[in-house]
Coordinates of all heavy atoms in Angstrom, one line a residue:
Y1 N -42.8 48.6 62.7 CA -43.4 49.5 63.6 C -44.8 49.1 64.0 O -45.2 49.5 65.1 CB -43.4 50.9 63.0 CG -42.0 51.5 62.9 CD1 -41.4 51.7 61.7 CD2 -41.4 51.9 64.1 CE1 -40.1 52.2 61.6 CE2 -40.1 52.5 64.0 CZ -39.5 52.6 62.8 OH -38.3 53.2 62.7
F2 N -45.5 48.2 63.2 CA -46.8 47.9 63.5 C -46.9 47.2 64.9 O -47.7 47.6 65.7 CB -47.4 47.0 62.4 CG -48.8 46.5 62.8 CD1 -49.9 47.2 62.7 CD2 -48.9 45.2 63.2 CE1 -51.1 46.8 63.1 CE2 -50.2 44.7 63.5 CZ -51.3 45.5 63.5
F3 N -46.1 46.2 65.1 CA -46.2 45.5 66.3 C -45.8 46.3 67.5 O -46.3 46.2 68.6 CB -45.5 44.1 66.3 CG -46.1 43.2 65.3 CD1 -45.5 42.8 64.1 CD2 -47.3 42.6 65.7 CE1 -46.1 41.9 63.3 CE2 -47.9 41.7 64.8 CZ -47.3 41.4 63.6
N4 N -44.7 47.1 67.3 CA -44.3 48.1 68.4 C -45.5 49.0 68.8 O -45.8 49.2 70.0 CB -43.1 48.9 67.9 CG -41.8 48.1 67.9 OD1 -41.8 47.1 68.5 ND2 -40.9 48.5 67.1
T5 N -46.1 49.6 67.8 CA -47.2 50.5 68.1 C -48.4 49.7 68.7 O -49.0 50.2 69.7 CB -47.7 51.1 66.8 OG1 -46.6 51.8 66.2 CG2 -48.7 52.1 67.0
L6 N -48.7 48.6 68.3 CA -49.8 47.8 68.8 C -49.5 47.5 70.3 O -50.4 47.7 71.2 CB -50.0 46.5 68.1 CG -51.1 45.6 68.5 CD1 -52.5 46.3 68.4 CD2 -51.1 44.3 67.7
S7 N -48.3 47.0 70.6 CA -47.9 46.7 71.9 C -48.0 48.0 72.8 O -48.4 47.9 74.0 CB -46.6 46.0 72.1 OG -45.5 46.9 71.6
F8 N -47.5 49.1 72.2 CA -47.6 50.3 73.0 C -49.0 50.7 73.3 O -49.3 51.2 74.4 CB -46.9 51.5 72.2 CG -46.7 52.8 72.9 CD1 -45.6 52.9 73.8 CD2 -47.6 53.8 72.8 CE1 -45.3 54.1 74.4 CE2 -47.4 55.0 73.4 CZ -46.3 55.1 74.2
L9 N -49.9 50.6 72.4 CA -51.3 50.9 72.6 C -52.0 49.9 73.6 O -52.9 50.4 74.4 CB -52.1 50.9 71.3 CG -51.6 52.0 70.3 CD1 -52.4 51.8 69.0 CD2 -51.9 53.4 70.9
L10 N -51.6 48.7 73.7 CA -52.1 47.8 74.7 C -51.5 47.8 76.1 O -52.0 47.2 77.0 CB -52.1 46.4 74.1 CG -52.9 46.1 72.8 CD1 -52.6 44.7 72.3 CD2 -54.4 46.3 73.1
F11 N -50.5 48.5 76.1 CA -49.8 48.6 77.4 C -50.6 49.0 78.6 O -50.4 48.5 79.7 CB -48.5 49.4 77.3 CG -47.4 49.1 78.3 CD1 -46.8 47.9 78.3 CD2 -47.3 50.0 79.3 CE1 -45.8 47.6 79.3 CE2 -46.3 49.7 80.3 CZ -45.6 48.5 80.4
P12 N -51.5 50.1 78.4 CA -52.3 50.5 79.6 C -53.2 49.3 80.1 O -53.4 49.2 81.3 CB -53.2 51.6 79.0 CG -52.3 52.2 77.9 CD -51.7 51.0 77.3
F13 N -53.6 48.5 79.2 CA -54.4 47.3 79.7 C -53.5 46.4 80.6 O -53.9 45.9 81.6 CB -54.9 46.5 78.5 CG -55.6 45.2 78.8 CD1 -56.9 45.2 79.4 CD2 -54.9 44.0 78.6 CE1 -57.4 44.0 79.7 CE2 -55.5 42.8 79.0 CZ -56.8 42.8 79.6
V14 N -52.2 46.2 80.2 CA -51.3 45.4 81.0 C -51.1 46.0 82.4 O -51.2 45.3 83.4 CB -50.0 45.2 80.3 CG1 -48.9 44.6 81.2 CG2 -50.1 44.5 79.0
L15 N -51.0 47.3 82.4 CA -50.8 48.1 83.7 C -52.1 47.9 84.5 O -51.9 47.7 85.7 CB -50.4 49.5 83.5 CG -49.1 49.8 82.9 CD1 -48.8 51.3 82.7 CD2 -47.9 49.2 83.7
K16 N -53.2 48.0 83.9 CA -54.5 47.8 84.7 C -54.6 46.4 85.3 O -55.0 46.3 86.4 CB -55.6 48.1 83.7 CG -57.0 48.0 84.4 CD -58.2 48.1 83.4 CE -59.4 47.8 84.0 NZ -59.6 46.4 84.6
E17 N -54.2 45.4 84.5 CA -54.2 44.0 84.9 C -53.2 43.8 86.2 O -53.6 43.2 87.1 CB -54.0 43.0 83.8 CG -55.0 43.0 82.9 CD -56.3 42.5 83.5 OE1 -56.4 41.5 84.1 OE2 -57.4 43.2 83.2
I18 N -52.0 44.4 86.1 CA -51.1 44.3 87.2 C -51.7 45.0 88.4 O -51.6 44.4 89.5 CB -49.7 45.0 86.8 CG1 -49.0 44.1 85.7 CG2 -48.9 45.1 88.0 CD1 -47.9 44.7 85.2
H19 N -52.3 46.2 88.2 CA -52.9 46.9 89.3 C -54.1 46.0 90.0 O -54.1 45.9 91.2 CB -53.5 48.2 88.9 CG -54.0 49.1 90.0 ND1 -55.4 48.9 90.3 CD2 -53.5 50.0 90.7 CE1 -55.6 49.7 91.3 NE2 -54.5 50.4 91.6
T20 N -54.9 45.4 89.1 CA -56.0 44.6 89.6 C -55.4 43.4 90.4 O -56.0 43.0 91.5 CB -56.9 44.1 88.4 OG1 -57.4 45.4 87.8 CG2 -58.0 43.3 88.9
M21 N -54.4 42.8 89.9 CA -53.8 41.6 90.5 C -53.4 42.0 92.0 O -53.7 41.2 93.0 CB -52.6 41.1 89.8 CG -51.9 39.9 90.4 SD -50.4 39.4 89.5 CE -49.4 40.9 89.8
F22 N -52.6 43.0 92.1 CA -52.1 43.4 93.4 C -53.3 43.9 94.4 O -53.3 43.6 95.5 CB -51.1 44.6 93.3 CG -49.7 44.1 93.1 CD1 -49.2 44.2 91.9 CD2 -49.0 43.5 94.1 CE1 -47.9 43.8 91.6 CE2 -47.7 43.1 93.9 CZ -47.1 43.2 92.7
T23 N -54.3 44.6 93.8 CA -55.4 45.0 94.6 C -56.2 43.8 95.1 O -56.6 43.8 96.3 CB -56.4 45.9 93.7 OG1 -55.6 47.0 93.2 CG2 -57.6 46.4 94.5
Q24 N -56.4 42.8 94.3 CA -57.1 41.6 94.7 C -56.3 40.8 95.8 O -56.9 40.4 96.8 CB -57.4 40.6 93.6 CG -58.4 41.2 92.6 CD -58.6 40.3 91.4 OE1 -57.8 39.5 91.1 NE2 -59.7 40.5 90.7
A25 N -55.0 40.9 95.7 CA -54.2 40.2 96.7 C -54.3 41.0 98.0 O -54.3 40.4 99.2 CB -52.7 40.1 96.3
M26 N -54.3 42.3 97.9 CA -54.4 43.2 99.1 C -55.8 43.0 99.8 O -55.8 42.9 101.0 CB -54.2 44.6 98.7 CG -52.8 45.0 98.3 SD -52.6 46.6 97.5 CE -53.2 47.7 98.7
E27 N -56.8 42.9 99.0 CA -58.1 42.6 99.6 C -58.2 41.2 100.3 O -59.0 41.0 101.2 CB -59.2 42.7 98.5 CG -59.4 44.2 98.0 CD -60.3 44.3 96.8 OE1 -60.7 43.3 96.2 OE2 -60.5 45.5 96.4
A28 N -57.4 40.3 99.8 CA -57.4 38.8 100.3 C -56.6 38.8 101.6 O -56.7 37.7 102.3 CB -57.0 37.9 99.3
T29 N -55.8 39.8 102.0 CA -55.1 39.7 103.2 C -56.0 39.8 104.4 O -57.1 40.3 104.3 CB -54.0 40.8 103.3 OG1 -54.7 42.0 103.3 CG2 -53.0 40.8 102.2
A30 N -55.5 39.1 105.5 CA -56.3 39.2 106.7 C -56.5 40.7 107.2 O -55.5 41.5 107.1 CB -55.6 38.4 107.8
P31 N -57.6 41.1 107.7 CA -57.8 42.4 108.2 C -56.8 42.9 109.2 O -56.5 44.1 109.2 CB -59.2 42.5 108.8 CG -59.8 41.3 108.2 CD -58.8 40.2 107.9
N32 N -56.3 42.1 110.0 CA -55.3 42.5 111.0 C -53.9 42.4 110.6 O -52.9 42.6 111.3 CB -55.5 41.6 112.3 CG -55.3 40.1 112.1 OD1 -55.2 39.7 111.0 ND2 -55.3 39.4 113.2
D33 N -53.6 42.0 109.3 CA -52.3 41.8 108.8 C -51.9 43.1 108.0 O -51.8 43.1 106.8 CB -52.2 40.7 107.9 CG -50.7 40.2 107.6 OD1 -49.8 41.0 108.1 OD2 -50.5 39.2 107.0
R34 N -51.6 44.3 108.7 CA -51.3 45.5 108.0 C -50.0 45.4 107.4 O -49.7 46.1 106.4 CB -51.2 46.6 109.1 CG -52.6 46.9 109.7 CD -53.6 47.5 108.7 NE -53.2 48.7 108.1 CZ -53.8 49.2 106.9 NH1 -54.8 48.5 106.5 NH2 -53.3 50.3 106.4
Q35 N -49.0 44.6 107.9 CA -47.7 44.5 107.2 C -47.8 43.9 105.9 O -47.2 44.4 104.9 CB -46.7 43.7 108.1 CG -45.3 43.7 107.5 CD -44.4 42.9 108.4 OE1 -44.8 42.3 109.5 NE2 -43.1 42.9 108.1
A36 N -48.5 42.9 105.7 CA -48.8 42.3 104.3 C -49.5 43.3 103.4 O -49.0 43.5 102.2 CB -49.6 41.0 104.5
Y37 N -50.5 44.0 103.9 CA -51.2 45.0 103.1 C -50.3 46.0 102.7 O -50.3 46.5 101.5 CB -52.4 45.5 103.9 CG -53.2 46.5 103.1 CD1 -54.3 46.0 102.4 CD2 -53.0 47.8 103.1 CE1 -55.1 46.8 101.7 CE2 -53.8 48.7 102.4 CZ -54.9 48.2 101.6 OH -55.7 49.0 101.0
T38 N -49.5 46.6 103.6 CA -48.6 47.7 103.3 C -47.5 47.2 102.3 O -47.2 47.9 101.3 CB -47.9 48.2 104.6 OG1 -49.0 48.6 105.4 CG2 -47.0 49.4 104.3
S39 N -47.0 46.0 102.5 CA -46.0 45.4 101.5 C -46.5 45.3 100.1 O -45.9 45.7 99.2 CB -45.4 44.1 102.1 OG -44.8 44.3 103.3
L40 N -47.7 44.8 100.0 CA -48.4 44.6 98.7 C -48.7 46.0 98.0 O -48.4 46.1 96.8 CB -49.6 43.8 98.8 CG -49.4 42.3 99.1 CD1 -50.8 41.7 99.5 CD2 -48.8 41.6 97.9
N41 N -49.1 47.0 98.8 CA -49.3 48.3 98.3 C -48.0 48.9 97.7 O -48.0 49.4 96.6 CB -49.9 49.2 99.3 CG -50.4 50.5 98.8 OD1 -50.9 50.5 97.7 ND2 -50.3 51.5 99.6
F42 N -46.9 48.7 98.5 CA -45.6 49.3 98.0 C -45.2 48.5 96.8 O -44.7 49.2 95.8 CB -44.5 49.0 99.1 CG -43.1 49.4 98.6 CD1 -42.8 50.7 98.5 CD2 -42.3 48.4 98.2 CE1 -41.5 51.0 98.0 CE2 -41.0 48.7 97.8 CZ -40.6 50.0 97.7
L43 N -45.3 47.2 96.7 CA -45.0 46.4 95.5 C -45.8 46.8 94.4 O -45.3 46.9 93.1 CB -45.1 44.9 95.8 CG -44.0 44.3 96.7 CD1 -44.4 42.9 97.0 CD2 -42.7 44.3 96.0
R44 N -47.1 47.1 94.6 CA -47.9 47.5 93.5 C -47.5 48.8 92.9 O -47.2 49.0 91.7 CB -49.4 47.6 94.0 CG -50.3 48.2 92.9 CD -51.8 48.3 93.4 NE -51.9 49.2 94.5 CZ -53.0 49.4 95.1 NH1 -54.1 48.8 94.7 NH2 -53.1 50.3 96.1
M45 N -47.2 49.8 93.7 CA -46.7 51.1 93.2 C -45.4 51.0 92.6 O -45.1 51.6 91.5 CB -46.6 52.1 94.5 CG -48.0 52.5 94.9 SD -48.0 53.8 96.2 CE -47.0 53.0 97.5
F46 N -44.4 50.2 93.2 CA -43.1 50.1 92.7 C -43.1 49.4 91.3 O -42.5 49.8 90.3 CB -42.2 49.4 93.6 CG -40.7 49.2 93.3 CD1 -40.0 50.4 93.3 CD2 -40.2 48.1 92.9 CE1 -38.6 50.4 93.0 CE2 -38.9 48.0 92.5 CZ -38.1 49.2 92.6
T47 N -43.9 48.3 91.2 CA -44.0 47.6 89.9 C -44.6 48.4 88.8 O -44.1 48.5 87.7 CB -44.9 46.3 90.1 OG1 -44.3 45.5 91.1 CG2 -45.0 45.5 88.9
L48 N -45.7 49.1 89.2 CA -46.3 50.0 88.1 C -45.3 51.1 87.7 O -45.3 51.5 86.5 CB -47.7 50.6 88.7 CG -48.7 49.5 88.8 CD1 -50.0 50.1 89.5 CD2 -49.2 48.9 87.5
L49 N -44.6 51.7 88.6 CA -43.7 52.7 88.3 C -42.6 52.1 87.3 O -42.3 52.8 86.3 CB -43.0 53.3 89.5 CG -41.9 54.4 89.2 CD1 -42.5 55.6 88.7 CD2 -41.2 54.6 90.6
L50 N -42.0 51.0 87.7 CA -40.9 50.5 86.8 C -41.5 50.1 85.5 O -40.9 50.3 84.4 CB -40.3 49.3 87.5 CG -39.3 49.6 88.7 CD1 -38.7 48.3 89.2 CD2 -38.2 50.5 88.2
W51 N -42.7 49.4 85.4 CA -43.2 49.1 84.1 C -43.6 50.2 83.3 O -43.5 50.2 82.1 CB -44.5 48.1 84.3 CG -44.1 46.7 84.6 CD1 -43.4 46.2 85.6 CD2 -44.4 45.6 83.7 NE1 -43.3 44.8 85.4 CE2 -43.9 44.5 84.2 CE3 -45.1 45.6 82.5 CZ2 -44.0 43.2 83.6 CZ3 -45.3 44.3 81.9 CH2 -44.8 43.2 82.5
S52 N -43.9 51.4 83.9 CA -44.2 52.6 83.1 C -43.0 53.2 82.4 O -43.1 54.0 81.5 CB -44.8 53.6 84.1 OG -46.1 53.1 84.6
V53 N -41.8 52.8 82.9 CA -40.6 53.4 82.3 C -40.4 52.7 80.9 O -39.9 53.4 80.0 CB -39.4 53.0 83.2 CG1 -38.0 53.5 82.5 CG2 -39.5 53.8 84.5
F54 N -40.8 51.5 80.7 CA -40.5 50.8 79.4 C -41.1 51.6 78.2 O -40.4 51.8 77.2 CB -41.0 49.4 79.4 CG -40.2 48.4 80.3 CD1 -40.8 47.9 81.5 CD2 -38.9 48.2 80.0 CE1 -40.0 47.1 82.3 CE2 -38.2 47.3 80.9 CZ -38.8 46.8 82.0
P55 N -42.4 51.9 78.2 CA -42.9 52.7 77.1 C -42.3 54.0 76.9 O -42.2 54.6 75.8 CB -44.4 52.8 77.3 CG -44.7 52.3 78.7 CD -43.5 51.6 79.2
A56 N -41.9 54.6 78.0 CA -41.3 56.0 77.9 C -39.9 55.9 77.2 O -39.6 56.7 76.4 CB -41.1 56.5 79.3
V57 N -39.2 54.9 77.5 CA -37.9 54.7 76.8 C -38.1 54.3 75.4 O -37.4 54.9 74.5 CB -37.0 53.6 77.6 CG1 -35.8 53.2 76.8 CG2 -36.6 54.1 79.0
W58 N -39.1 53.5 75.1 CA -39.3 53.2 73.7 C -39.8 54.4 72.9 O -39.3 54.6 71.8 CB -40.5 52.1 73.7 CG -40.9 51.8 72.3 CD1 -40.4 50.8 71.6 CD2 -42.1 52.4 71.6 NE1 -41.1 50.8 70.3 CE2 -42.1 51.7 70.3 CE3 -42.9 53.4 71.8 CZ2 -43.0 52.0 69.4 CZ3 -43.9 53.7 70.8 CH2 -43.9 53.0 69.7
A59 N -40.6 55.2 73.5 CA -41.0 56.4 72.8 C -39.8 57.5 72.6 O -39.7 58.0 71.5 CB -42.1 57.1 73.7
L60 N -39.0 57.5 73.6 CA -37.8 58.4 73.4 C -36.8 57.9 72.3 O -36.3 58.6 71.5 CB -37.0 58.5 74.8 CG -37.7 59.3 75.8 CD1 -36.9 59.2 77.2 CD2 -37.8 60.8 75.5
C61 N -36.7 56.6 72.1 CA -35.9 55.9 71.1 C -36.6 56.2 69.7 O -35.9 56.5 68.8 CB -35.7 54.4 71.4 SG -34.6 54.0 72.6
Q62 N -37.9 56.1 69.7 CA -38.6 56.2 68.4 C -38.5 57.7 68.0 O -38.5 58.0 66.8 CB -40.1 55.8 68.6 CG -40.2 54.4 68.8 CD -39.7 53.6 67.7 OE1 -39.9 53.8 66.5 NE2 -38.9 52.5 68.0
L63 N -38.4 58.6 68.9 CA -38.3 60.0 68.6 C -36.9 60.5 68.4 O -36.6 61.7 68.3 CB -39.0 60.9 69.7 CG -40.4 60.7 69.9 CD1 -40.9 61.4 71.1 CD2 -41.2 61.2 68.6
D64 N -36.0 59.5 68.5 CA -34.5 59.8 68.3 C -34.0 60.8 69.4 O -33.1 61.5 69.1 CB -34.1 60.2 66.9 CG -34.2 59.1 65.9 OD1 -34.0 58.0 66.3 OD2 -34.6 59.5 64.7
L65 N -34.6 60.7 70.5 CA -34.0 61.6 71.7 C -33.0 60.9 72.5 O -32.2 61.6 73.1 CB -35.2 62.0 72.6 CG -36.3 62.9 71.8 CD1 -37.5 63.2 72.8 CD2 -35.7 64.2 71.4
I66 N -33.0 59.6 72.3 CA -31.9 58.8 72.9 C -31.5 57.7 71.9 O -32.4 57.3 71.1 CB -32.2 58.2 74.4 CG1 -33.3 57.2 74.2 CG2 -32.4 59.2 75.4 CD1 -33.6 56.5 75.6
D67 N -30.3 57.2 71.9 CA -29.9 56.2 71.0 C -29.9 54.8 71.7 O -29.9 54.8 73.0 CB -28.7 56.5 70.2 CG -27.5 56.7 71.1 OD1 -27.6 56.4 72.3 OD2 -26.4 57.2 70.6
S68 N -29.6 53.8 71.0 CA -29.6 52.4 71.6 C -28.5 52.3 72.6 O -28.6 51.6 73.6 CB -29.5 51.4 70.6 OG -28.3 51.5 69.8
V69 N -27.3 53.0 72.4 CA -26.2 52.9 73.3 C -26.6 53.6 74.6 O -26.4 53.0 75.7 CB -24.9 53.6 72.8 CG1 -23.9 53.7 73.8 CG2 -24.4 52.8 71.5
M70 N -27.3 54.7 74.6 CA -27.7 55.4 75.8 C -28.7 54.6 76.5 O -28.8 54.5 77.7 CB -28.2 56.8 75.5 CG -28.5 57.6 76.7 SD -29.2 59.3 76.3 CE -27.8 60.0 75.5
E71 N -29.7 54.0 75.7 CA -30.7 53.2 76.4 C -30.1 52.0 77.1 O -30.5 51.6 78.2 CB -31.6 52.6 75.3 CG -32.7 51.7 75.7 CD -33.4 51.1 74.6 OE1 -33.1 51.3 73.4 OE2 -34.4 50.4 74.9
A72 N -29.1 51.3 76.5 CA -28.5 50.1 77.1 C -27.6 50.4 78.3 O -27.3 49.6 79.1 CB -27.7 49.4 76.0
T73 N -27.1 51.7 78.4 CA -26.2 52.0 79.4 C -26.6 53.0 80.4 O -25.9 53.5 81.2 CB -24.8 52.5 78.8 OG1 -25.2 53.7 78.1 CG2 -24.2 51.5 77.9
D74 N -27.9 53.3 80.4 CA -28.5 54.3 81.3 C -27.9 55.6 81.2 O -27.7 56.4 82.1 CB -28.3 53.8 82.8 CG -29.4 52.9 83.2 OD1 -30.5 52.8 82.7 OD2 -29.2 52.2 84.3
G75 N -27.5 56.0 80.0 CA -27.0 57.3 79.6 C -25.5 57.4 79.7 O -24.9 58.5 79.4
R76 N -24.8 56.4 80.2 CA -23.3 56.5 80.3 C -22.8 56.1 78.9 O -23.2 55.2 78.4 CB -22.8 55.5 81.4 CG -23.3 55.9 82.8 CD -22.7 54.9 83.8 NE -23.0 53.5 83.4 CZ -24.0 52.8 83.9 NH1 -24.8 53.3 84.8 NH2 -24.1 51.5 83.5
H77 N -21.8 56.9 78.5 CA -21.2 56.6 77.1 C -20.2 55.5 77.4 O -19.3 55.5 78.2 CB -20.5 58.0 76.7 CG -19.9 57.7 75.3 ND1 -20.5 57.5 74.2 CD2 -18.5 57.5 75.1 CE1 -19.7 57.3 73.2 NE2 -18.4 57.3 73.7
V78 N -20.3 54.5 76.5 CA -19.4 53.4 76.6 C -18.5 53.5 75.3 O -19.0 53.5 74.2 CB -20.2 52.0 76.6 CG1 -19.2 50.9 76.6 CG2 -21.0 52.0 77.9
S79 N -17.2 53.4 75.5 CA -16.3 53.5 74.4 C -16.3 52.1 73.6 O -16.7 51.1 74.2 CB -14.9 53.8 74.8 OG -14.3 52.8 75.6
R80 N -15.7 52.0 72.5 CA -15.6 50.8 71.7 C -14.8 49.8 72.4 O -15.0 48.6 72.2 CB -15.1 51.0 70.4 CG -16.0 51.8 69.5 CD -15.4 52.0 68.1 NE -16.3 52.9 67.3 CZ -17.1 52.5 66.4 NH1 -17.3 51.2 66.2 NH2 -17.9 53.3 65.7
G81 N -13.8 50.2 73.3 CA -13.0 49.2 74.0 C -13.8 48.7 75.2 O -13.3 47.7 75.8
G82 N -15.0 49.1 75.4 CA -15.7 48.5 76.6 C -15.6 49.3 77.9 O -16.2 49.0 78.8
G83 N -14.6 50.3 77.9 CA -14.5 51.0 79.1 C -15.4 52.2 79.2 O -16.1 52.6 78.2
N84 N -15.5 52.8 80.4 CA -16.4 53.9 80.6 C -15.5 55.2 80.4 O -14.6 55.4 81.0 CB -17.0 53.9 82.0 CG -18.2 54.7 82.2 OD1 -18.4 55.6 81.3 ND2 -18.9 54.5 83.2
D85 N -16.0 56.1 79.5 CA -15.2 57.3 79.2 C -15.3 58.4 80.3 O -14.6 59.3 80.3 CB -15.8 57.9 77.9 CG -15.3 57.2 76.7 OD1 -14.4 56.3 76.9 OD2 -15.8 57.4 75.6
R86 N -16.2 58.2 81.2 CA -16.4 59.2 82.2 C -15.6 58.9 83.5 O -15.5 57.9 84.0 CB -17.9 59.4 82.6 CG -18.7 60.0 81.5 CD -20.1 60.3 82.0 NE -20.8 60.8 80.8 CZ -22.1 61.0 80.8 NH1 -22.8 60.8 81.9 NH2 -22.7 61.5 79.8

């Protein structure tokens, strides 16, 4: 659990660095290139949102609120035969 906790605690730094990377790229775009700026802004928000899901799923697993089968299948129950029960 030590390395899991350590990585969880350092994760905000990773998100800050991703944010900084996209912000610098946005600042480097030409002033008249609104499409590039808007695209980079969308990618920044989308990337940060998706990356924020990882520690949330990890925390839910650690609290036994979801199990590894639910984590791996997005909540769909998978039978032992590999088929979907729903």
Side-chain angles (χ1 to χ4, degrees):
Y1 289 107
F2 173 74
F3 290 111
N4 287 339
T5 304
L6 181 63
S7 64
F8 188 83
L9 292 174
L10 293 175
F11 200 72
F13 174 75
V14 173
L15 291 179
K16 180 187 173 297
E17 290 300 311
I18 292 172
H19 183 274
T20 301
M21 176 188 67
F22 276 105
T23 301
Q24 289 173 348
M26 290 165 59
E27 291 170 353
T29 60
N32 59 350
D33 195 356
R34 294 297 300 166
Q35 184 177 4
Y37 185 88
T38 303
S39 296
L40 286 168
N41 190 36
F42 172 78
L43 285 171
R44 176 177 62 181
M45 291 185 298
F46 188 71
T47 302
L48 291 173
L49 176 69
L50 285 180
W51 274 65
S52 297
V53 172
F54 291 113
V57 171
W58 177 85
L60 290 173
C61 287
Q62 295 300 311
L63 296 171
D64 287 329
L65 296 175
I66 61 174
D67 61 11
S68 59
V69 172
M70 188 181 294
E71 176 188 4
T73 61
D74 277 341
R76 296 182 305 263
H77 178 73
V78 178
S79 68
R80 291 182 186 260
N84 197 345
D85 287 347
R86 289 187 186 172

